[in-house]
Amino acid sequence: MDITIHMSSLPHDDPDASLAFYRDVLGFEVRSDVGQGRMRWITVGPAGQPDTSILLAPPAADPGVTEDERRTITEMMAKGTYGWILLATPDLDATFEKVQAGDSEVVQEPTEQPYGIRDCAFRDPAGNLIRIQELR
């Protein structure tokens, strides 16, 4: 069996703000941008890694989601407890400084964790938790 992780998704509530964060702050490439207004599906990914992408999607676009579920998703996004992703970089300090300079909400400065990794954390404009781990 040969399976790779090709794409993961995170919700957005403001596609322009999310696009600016992932493109301009994290430096990701924009691979596609379809839809219009708040109903846009934007695919981004790290430069030089065309096989790995993040789909930024409107959270309540699925017709199977009830109004109660939409409200819960919206409330969880506002609290920052709905979506998260773990990224990695060989230079955590430089990455932290760049992301912090992008006026992002810092959740945790670079920290040596007791379980053997060093990481930091931010929130993207939609409230998703972005953890960045140092590659060693």
Side-chain angles (χ1 to χ4, degrees):
M1 188 179 308
D2 183 11
I3 298 175
T4 61
I5 297 174
H6 178 66
M7 185 180 300
S8 185
S9 67
L10 290 173
H12 71 67
D13 55 1
D14 181 339
D16 291 327
S18 291
L19 178 61
F21 177 79
Y22 286 93
R23 181 193 57 209
D24 304 337
V25 176
L26 293 183
F28 284 2
E29 298 173 337
V30 179
R31 303 206 173 125
S32 70
D33 186 347
V34 298
Q36 57 186 333
R38 291 190 171 283
M39 297 303 281
R40 286 168 56 195
W41 287 258
I42 304 166
T43 304
V44 297
Q49 298 178 39
D51 295 333
T52 303
S53 300
I54 299 170
L55 173 64
L56 305 170
D62 185 336
V65 174
T66 67
E67 283 304 314
D68 284 345
E69 292 168 332
R70 282 187 180 90
R71 186 175 42 258
T72 298
I73 290 169
T74 301
E75 290 170 358
M76 291 180 72
M77 287 175 64
K79 290 173 50 180
T81 57
Y82 187 69
W84 69 280
I85 195 164
L86 176 61
L87 306 175
T89 180
D91 189 343
L92 184 65
D93 293 318
T95 301
F96 177 81
E97 293 301 322
K98 182 178 180 198
V99 177
Q100 184 181 35
D103 199 26
S104 301
E105 179 186 346
V106 176
V107 176
Q108 175 201 298
E109 295 191 7
T111 302
E112 189 72 38
Q113 301 292 350
Y115 39 88
I117 65 165
R118 185 168 180 262
D119 67 355
C120 64
F122 296 90
R123 292 212 187 280
D124 77 3
N128 298 305
L129 183 65
I130 311 299
R131 296 202 72 86
I132 304 174
Q133 178 178 333
E134 186 172 61
L135 291 173
R136 296 181 174 168

